């Protein structure tokens, strides 16, 4: 098909590297010719080249295409445009580019930053670069993940109150001289641009909106049309990936891979040709695809058949678009010319301009095209303020059409042009302009009105039953636009602005009218409703509208005139909606001499709605009238006759009654939907514009109506009219209960109406006061975290709660520990603000707070009265509200309730009711007291005291409230209220005195202090009494405590071991104690090796099985006891993470450990003991139990022997048998006598003879290489095969069969897990693995103690101590379960490293082994040399003392040589004149080494340096050896090792291990024996190559691993992540960068691009990395989410909080809150320990057990 490449060698176009340059010089010249019509020429050129270039659509060679485009079209075009070489020209422009706007467009997931101090609104954001270079870095910033499509506001002066520019975008920042003048384009280029751009833009527009499938515009059709078509598939959001793949496979019969390829491309680009061919065949394919996709998902895929040329031109149009996009970034002139052309309207034509055309077409474009278009808008219009404004005008002009298109579009909002609204509407000047000139508020509200009618019911109210969530979400976008426009209040009002705003407001009221009373409900009687109606949509809209409603009110309040007009409009609207029920006849209601005439209505029987936005807006405007004082002019706008306050109160009151009835369970049959609505009604997300406003409306009613009438109305609506008449009510218990709840609810509302005054306008409080009060009441419940407080406070339009401004005034911050979070605690002085009946408390919060506060007062030995705090005064407009307290109806209510309590009509009252009555009484008295203190007595008309002390009736038995209170004190059920009653009685007294006093002196000067004096004596008395009682209680408590702790001690005594195991802290002392008890006698008792060896301390061990609780002493011959344990592979000590680990150990020979310690086998234990039999039973039971259950196998892998420790639930996979230590004691005089004969040389000879003897015996006939040693010099022919036995033997220990069984079981587990192979009890590698895990575990523990700075002995956790003890003893005993010949073979190979004469093939050189592993191996295998055919002997104590000594000395000598050789390349960093004995010995040793390495080893290294290296380097080895011999032999270590002291430690180690402190003396002492060894060690080729610098040997001491360094500031990590590029794919899609905390590798997680095939399984980047980096166990940080992930193997993992905290001591998983985060060192250290203690697996298991959510997660693909 590619027939076009006909150009031949052209005139060397710069861009065409491949030499493909079809442009003829004349062609270019033609463009330049002024006489030619550019447009015609341009189109001609395109017509000629484009179809050729894009001919291979199905399988394009992208690079080639691009090359051709450059050469054939773009290069000549640029040449013409710039008039010179494009590269040079653009380079020049680039130099001078100094745009002040950043304009970076965000991709989804990119981190954006906002500043809470300086951003005008939260939509103002910075990109990472700009933020890092801005002043906001030090402010209270927020980090968030972009949803994509936004753009960086750096440089926009309207977006920031301060610091609008980062240092990079500041003028002159680039250092160029021409600061302010951007490089001006010269006139010629401008001229050319004006000529070129229109044609280019027109072509792009024409092609993008081109709808013909088969034809091109005539000017592009220059040749015969070929029958060449494409079947093109388009992206949509309806069909899933799998649907599309499936449909394609079926319809086209293509391979899965191909279908996947197509689908991915479609998802990315928006469309793709899936078939090429003749028209008919493409048409057929189209029908097939449609048919198949329709079958799968009801809706067909969007498929079109396009002619190849059409496709080609559309493709090229996009290429031209991105070309323009690039050009825009170079010069402001380009942008302006571009914008001018885009905005130009054809004269006299009604047609929209280019840019509007594109906008209107947006929803029809495919994804790829939209992206190009939007980027172009960003890079041109949005970079030039003036044109941004013009663009916004166009945008608003077509706003309705655009939104409607969007609502029926099926792409995400980020892909819609409507998403650009936020960029324009949030700019304050632009918003103002759009309101004034384009009437944007009205436009938006009308759009809403036009898109919402489908939800209107017959009454013109919304009804969202059966709504589509997706569609409504799209409607919310419009609501959001309204919010954007209103986000910044104007400071300057013009008439036009006022007019337009009011017009918008009125239009908005029409929307509210449709909501007022929507979704009415009726109480269900008899039957339960069948389906819960949809309620979410209405509540969701309410939430969306909340801030908009508030903003409208705020805007209105800016201007007096406006406020009044808006109020009157709103009032009218409410009145229009308040018509229903008018037809009913009014009825009359009498109570205690007052009557109310009203139309009958019952919430329990008539329809009711909780949606009353109009009434609530009116209430909002009312308080603003009151606040500004404008209320005095209200009558000018709303006449008193029209006002009709009863009608205004009616609907909010009904709503509150509904809530009460729901609480009284009268609406049970209406289902959960109502419960949810009531919840949101009062929840923080909605309450400001629902519940709170209803309370305010009631306050308005109470202030404007006659108080008695008001209360009668309330009583009637609560359907409680009869409850307060003296009639005997019904006997129906349920009804009585219901009635009681209703009374409680009503009293509560009355308390709120009178007492809740913390609203600016209702009283004279500020917003700060309001927030402080909210916080105080939250903290009265309990101390809370910052985020918890934030969540409980309403957010304003800027997502701020105002918390930070006030929190420090009311609370103190308490820092968190290593876990948990920081909390705020209420300051004591704020406690007096506590109001038990705070209106935002839920029922639970109310009782919790009451409980907390009473408890606190009790602890402080104070009375438990919690009277209300004195409320602030009502503002004048509301001052009448208090009259309801002392009106007749109120007195009647109070009296009736109290009377019922006193008369013990138990079922007619509740304690809660009494509490509320008391609260109301308190409010009344406080009010009167405050008034009396403020004004002269005769002016105070508020006569609560008077009313309350008046008789209720003239009857004989009449009582007043005061008398009732006195009686109340004697009601036994109200004991708890006694303190409150006393408080009220005192208040009565106080008010009485105030009244009397002022009437006596007529001067109302004195206040509280004197008036309360009288009370004080009674108060004192009560105080004393209380104190006495408290003291008695304390003594009683003490006594009980003493008894308790005695019991407890007993318990601990009897369950001692159980206790020790759970209390690790105690372990420390215990561990020391057992050793110290024996430490008395002689000094050398603390030597572990050689003739001076001290006694073993073998305590009698009696352990308790955690399963059967029975005790048993551990003995060789008894049934086995076991420790639960977990064996795992580990890379915790590795020195080289780049080493590739073998995943399976089938062919691995683990005898020698590489000195890098790349991967070891760790055995850990939780320290819990069981009988082997009990454990086996437990394990089997669990297997049976869990086989059937789902998911459980994911917590632990039963096949691999996993189980949870029955006591502590740690994950275990085996048990360690507990083998008792065999106590040994030697007579040191005897032993020293042996030394005379048994020198190292002699000992070596003896074992060589023994080994040769075995060799001869075992390998009959085989030719054996007798060690050369045997023949050398010593010539003592007395030596023979049995000589070894002559220094003492004893018979081997006999283990019980059950211990043996466990020895085999555990050894097999180590082998299986450590090598990842199938279990095989007979494998020859089992002993090797046993020694290996023993050595490795000791090394891990030594490492851990060192990094934690703890002493070597005595500081181990109990679980580590008992685990290690059991492990070492097991390792010693394991030998007996293997064939001794096998052990001997391993021993010989091990010795081969030390005694090169033994050298068997493939023995590694000295530098290729870890010496401590050798030591453990040889010591544990050595007794096998004592084995005689039938008799199993073992060395006697004295023999083994020497064996251990010499074996240890040999390995030590070898290790010193290792250290010296490997530090040969060390160059001295400091001079030292140290000429100590050690230095001199070192020097002479080096001379020898130098000699043996033929000078490869440099002799110049000063002796002191060598000594220094050796002393430091050998430390870990000595420490490990000390641990090993201690746990093997049970000999107490010297006291110095129980402390941390470097010098003391070295000496003590040497003494314990029987070494001279000048280690080189060891060589001198054994010189004759060691000399030949040293010679051979040094001559090894590997050693020589290392010394020559050809290979690198490990240095000692090895480095201690730690988790990677993390930056202090989390945004640095985000920064790193933003630079992260996936190593495998180059697309710009969002990646999930994940950081390995072991090695610092950054991985591309959860993405198919980086999956790896391991053993035939697809593994995600993390999982496969973990296999290498952590032998399957690894720790990652998900950077974008700020979470740590722990994983193990392929199936398990868990999340863990990241070690980053915000300033409130809280973590922020998912960066939901976005506060600045800083590294918490202690928490990071905790993670480090989790790793080094090998507890990651345990943590995962624990988390999976408690947190079952992660079962669904496919860890494998992480
Ligand atoms: Zn930026
Ligand atoms: Zn910037
Ligand atoms: Zn700032
Ligand atoms: Zn047991
Ligand atoms: Zn346990
Ligand atoms: Zn790693
Ligand atoms: Zn990747």
């Amino acid at each position: 098909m590619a027939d076009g490449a006909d150009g031949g060698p052209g005139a060397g176009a710069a861009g065409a590297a491949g030499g493909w340059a079809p442009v003829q010089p004349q062609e270019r010249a033609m463009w330049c010719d002024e006489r030619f019509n550019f447009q015609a020429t341009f189109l001609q050129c395109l017509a000629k080249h484009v179809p050729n270039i894009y001919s291979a659509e199905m399988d394009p060679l992208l690079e080639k295409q691009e090359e051709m485009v450059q050469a054939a079209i773009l290069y000549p075009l640029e040449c013409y445009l710039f008039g010179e070489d494009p590269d040079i020209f653009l380079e020049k422009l680039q130099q001078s580019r100094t745009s002040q706007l950043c304009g970076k467009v965000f991709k989804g997931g990119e981190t954006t930053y906002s500043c809470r101090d300086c951003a005008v609104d939260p939509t103002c954001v910075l990109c990472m670069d700009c933020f890092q270079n801005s002043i906001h870095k030090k402010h209270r910033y927020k980090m968030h993940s972009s949803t994509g499509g936004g753009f960086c506001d750096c440089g926009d002066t309207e977006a920031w109150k301060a610091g609008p520019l980062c240092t990079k975008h500041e003028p002159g920042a680039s250092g160029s001289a021409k600061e302010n003048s951007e490089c001006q384009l010269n006139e010629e280029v401008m001229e050319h641009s004006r000529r070129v751009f229109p044609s280019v833009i027109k072509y792009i527009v024409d092609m993008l909106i081109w709808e013909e499938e088969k034809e091109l515009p005539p000017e592009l059709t220059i040749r015969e049309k070929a029958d060449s078509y494409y079947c093109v598939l388009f992206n949509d959001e309806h069909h899933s990936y799998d649907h599309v793949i499936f449909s394609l496979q079926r319809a086209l019969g293509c391979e899965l891979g191909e279908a996947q390829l197509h689908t991915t491309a479609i998802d990315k680009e928006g469309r793709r040709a899936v078939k090429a061919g003749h028209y008919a065949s493409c048409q057929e394919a189209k029908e097939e695809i449609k048919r198949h996709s329709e079958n799968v998902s009801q809706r067909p895929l969007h498929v079109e058949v396009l002619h190849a040329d059409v496709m080609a031109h559309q493709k090229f149009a996009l290429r031209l678009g991105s070309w323009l996009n690039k050009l825009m970034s170079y010069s402001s002139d380009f942008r302006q010319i571009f914008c001018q052309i885009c905005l130009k309207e054809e004269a006299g034509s009604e047609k929209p301009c280019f840019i509007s055309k594109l906008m209107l077409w947006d929803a029809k474009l495919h994804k790829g095209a939209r992206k190009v278009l939007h980027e172009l808008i960003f890079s041109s219009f949005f970079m030039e303020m003036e044109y941004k404004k013009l663009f916004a005008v166009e945008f608003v002009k077509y706003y309705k059409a655009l939104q409607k298109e969007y609502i029926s579009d099926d792409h995400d909002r980020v892909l819609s042009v409507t998403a650009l609204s936020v960029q324009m509407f949030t700019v304050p000047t632009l918003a103002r302009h759009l309101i004034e000139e384009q009437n944007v508020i009205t436009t938006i509200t009308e759009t809403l009105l036009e898109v919402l009618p489908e939800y209107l019911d017959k009454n013109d109210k919304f009804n969202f039953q059966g709504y589509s969530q997706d569609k409504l979400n799209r409607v919310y976008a419009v609501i959001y636009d309204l919010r954007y426009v209103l986000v910044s209040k104007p400071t300057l009002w013009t008439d036009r602005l006022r007019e337009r705003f009011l017009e918008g407001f009125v239009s908005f009221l029409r929307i509210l009218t449709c909501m007022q009373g929507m979704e009415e409900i009726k109480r269900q009687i008899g039957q339960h409703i069948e389906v819960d109606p949809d309620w979410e949509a209405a509540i969701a809209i309410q939430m969306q509208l909340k801030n908009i409603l508030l903003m409208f009110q705020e805007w209105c309040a800016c201007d007096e005139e406006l406020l009044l007009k808006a109020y009157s409009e709103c009032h009218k609207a409410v009145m229009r909606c308040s018509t229903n029920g008018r037809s009913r006849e009014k009825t009359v209601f009498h109570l205690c001499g007052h009557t109310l005439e009203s139309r009958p209505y019952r919430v329990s029987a008539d329809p009711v709605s909780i949606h009353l936005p109009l009434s609530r807006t009116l209430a909002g405007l009312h308080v603003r009238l009151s606040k500004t004082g404008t209320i005095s002019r209200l009558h000018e706008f709303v006449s008193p006759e029209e006002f009709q306050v009863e009608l205004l109160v009616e609907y909010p009151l009904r709503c509150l009654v509904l809530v009460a009835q729901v609480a009284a369970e009268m609406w049970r049959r209406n289902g959960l939907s109502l419960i949810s609505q009531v919840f949101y009604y009062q929840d923080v997300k909605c309450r400001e514009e629902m519940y709170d406003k209803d309370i305010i409306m009631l306050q308005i009613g109470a202030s404007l109506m006659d108080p008695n009438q008001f209360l009668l109305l309330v009583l009637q609506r609560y359907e409680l009219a009869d409850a307060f008449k003296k009639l005997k009510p019904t006997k129906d218990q349920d009804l009585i209960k219901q009635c009681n709840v209703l009374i409680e609810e009503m009293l509560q509302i009355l308390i709120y109406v009178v007492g809740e005054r913390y609203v600016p306008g209702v009283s004279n409080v500020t917003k700060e006061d309001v927030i402080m009060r909210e916080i105080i009441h939250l903290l009265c419940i309990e101390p809370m975290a910052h985020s918890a407080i934030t969540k409980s406070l309403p957010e304003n339009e800027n997502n701020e709660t105002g918390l930070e401004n006030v929190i420090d005034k009311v609370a103190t911050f308490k820092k968190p520990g290593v876990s948990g979070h920081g909390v705020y605690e209420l300051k004591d002085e704020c406690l007096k603000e506590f109001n038990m009946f705070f209106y935002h408390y839920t029922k639970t919060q109310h009782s919790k707070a009451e409980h907390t506060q009473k408890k606190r007062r009790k602890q402080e030995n104070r009375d438990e009265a919690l009277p209300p705090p004195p409320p602030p005064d009502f503002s004048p407009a509301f001052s009448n509200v208090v009259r309801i307290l002392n009106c007749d109806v109120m007195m009647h209510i109070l009296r009736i309730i109290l009377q019922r309590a006193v008369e013990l009509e138990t079922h007619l009252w509740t304690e809660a009711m009494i509490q509320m009555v008391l609260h109301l009484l308190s409010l009344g008295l406080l009010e009167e007291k405050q008034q009396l203190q403020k004004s002269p007595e005769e002016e105070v008309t508020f006569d609560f005291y008077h009313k309350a002390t008046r008789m209720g009736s003239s009857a004989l038995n009449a009582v007043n409230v005061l008398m009732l209170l006195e009686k109340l004190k004697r009601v036994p059920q109200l004991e708890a209220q006694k303190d409150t009653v006393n408080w009220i009685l005192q208040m009565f007294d106080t008010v009485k005195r105030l009244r009397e006093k002022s009437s006596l002196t007529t001067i109302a000067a004195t206040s509280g202090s004197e008036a309360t004096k009288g009370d004080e004596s009674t108060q004192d008395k009560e105080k004393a009494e209380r104190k006495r009682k408290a003291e008695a209680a304390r003594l009683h408590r003490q006594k009980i405590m003493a008894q308790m702790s005695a019991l407890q001690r007993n318990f601990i005594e009897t369950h001692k071991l159980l206790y020790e195991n759970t209390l690790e802290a105690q372990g420390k002392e215990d561990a020391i104690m057992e050793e110290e008890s024996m430490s008395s006698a002689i000094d050398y008792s603390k030597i572990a090796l050689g003739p001076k060896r001290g006694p073993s301390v073998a305590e009698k061990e009696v352990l308790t099985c955690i399963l059967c609780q029975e005790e048993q002493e551990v003995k060789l011959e008894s049934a086995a006891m076991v420790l639960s344990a977990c064996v795992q592979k580990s890379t915790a000590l590795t020195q080289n993470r780049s080493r590739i680990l073998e995943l399976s150990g089938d062919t691995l020979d683990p005898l020698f450990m590489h000195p890098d310690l790349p991967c070891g086998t760790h055995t850990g234990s939780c320290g819990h003991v069981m009988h082997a039999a009990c454990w086996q039973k437990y394990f089997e039971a669990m297997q049976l139990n869990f086989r059937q259950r789902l998911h459980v196998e994911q917590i632990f892998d039963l096949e691999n022997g996993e189980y949870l420790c029955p006591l502590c639930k740690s994950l275990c996979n085996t048990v360690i048998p507990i083998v008792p230590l065999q106590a040994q004691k030697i007579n040191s005089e005897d032993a020293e006598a042996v030394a005379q004969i048994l020198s190292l040389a002699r000992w070596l000879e003896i074992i060589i003879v023994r080994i040769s003897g075995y060799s001869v015996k075992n390998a009959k006939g085989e030719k054996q290489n007798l060690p050369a040693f045997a023949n050398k010099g010593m010539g003592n022919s007395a030596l023979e095969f049995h000589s070894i036995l002559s220094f003492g033997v004893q018979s081997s220990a006999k283990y019980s069969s059950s211990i043996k069984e466990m020895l085999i079981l555990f050894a097999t587990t180590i082998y299986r897990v450590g090598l990842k192979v199938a279990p095989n009890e007979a494998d020859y590698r089992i002993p090797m693995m046993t020694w290996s895990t023993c050595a490795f575990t000791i090394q891990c523990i030594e490492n851990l103690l060192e990094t934690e700075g703890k002493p070597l002995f005595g500081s181990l956790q109990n679980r580590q101590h008992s685990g290690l003890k059991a492990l070492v003893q097991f390792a010693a005993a394991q030998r007996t379960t293997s064939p001794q010949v096998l052990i001997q073979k391993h021993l010989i190979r091990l010795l081969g490293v030390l005694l090169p004469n033994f050298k068997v093939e493939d023995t590694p050189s000295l530098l290729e082994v870890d010496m401590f592993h050798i030591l453990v191996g040889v010591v544990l295998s050595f007794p096998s040399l004592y084995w005689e055919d039938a008799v199993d002997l073992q060395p006697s104590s004295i023999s083994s003392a020497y064996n251990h000594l010499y074996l240890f000395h040999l390995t030590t000598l070898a290790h010193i040589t290792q250290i010296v050789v490997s530090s040969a390349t060390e160059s001295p960093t400091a001079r030292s004149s140290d000429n100590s004995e050690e230095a001199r010995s070192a020097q002479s040793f080096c001379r020898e080494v130098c000699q043996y390495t033929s000078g490869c080893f440099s002799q110049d290294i000063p002796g002191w340096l060598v000594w220094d290296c050796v002393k430091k380097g050998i430390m870990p080895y000595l420490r490990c050896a000390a641990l090993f011999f201690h746990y093997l032999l049970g000999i107490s270590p010297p006291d110095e090792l129980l402390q941390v002291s470097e010098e003391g430690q070295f000496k003590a180690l040497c003494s314990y291990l029987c070494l001279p402190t000048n280690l080189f003396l060891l060589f001198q002492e054994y010189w004759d024996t060691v000399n030949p060894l040293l010679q051979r060690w040094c001559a090894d080729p590997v050693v020589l190559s290392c010394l020559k610098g050809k290979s690198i040997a490990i240095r000692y001491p090895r480095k201690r691993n730690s988790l990677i360094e993390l930056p202090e500031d989390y945004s640095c990590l985000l920064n790193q992540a933003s630079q992260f590029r996936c190593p495998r794919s180059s697309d710009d899609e969002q990646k999930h960068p994940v950081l390995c905390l072991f090695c610092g590798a950054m991985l591309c997680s959860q993405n198919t691009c980086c999956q790896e095939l391991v053993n035939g399984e697809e593994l995600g980047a993390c999982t496969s990395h973990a296999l290498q980096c952590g032998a399957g166990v690894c720790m990652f940080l998900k950077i974008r989410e700020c979470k740590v992930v722990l994983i193990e193997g392929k199936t398990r993992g868990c999340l863990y909080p990241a070690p980053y905290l915000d300033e409130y001591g809280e973590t922020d998983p998912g960066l939901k809150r976005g506060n600045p985060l800083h590294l918490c060192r202690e928490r990071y250290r905790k993670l480090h320990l989790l790793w080094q203690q090998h507890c990651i697996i345990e943590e995962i298991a624990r988390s999976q057990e408690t947190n079952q959510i992660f079962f669904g997660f496919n860890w494998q693909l992480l």
Side-chain angles (χ1 to χ4, degrees), residues 233 244-254 259 262-263 274 289:
L233 181 54
V244 178
I245 292 174
F246 176 80
S247 305
L248 280 179
Q249 273 182 291
R250 285 302 174 85
L252 303 175
C254 61
H262 285 319
T263 313
V274 294
I289 296 173

Side-chain angles (χ1 to χ4, degrees), residues 1622 1624-1625 1631 1644 1647 1649-1650:
C1622 165
R1624 299 269 186 95
S1625 69
K1631 303 292 181 192
C1644 167
N1647 210 328
C1649 56
C1650 289

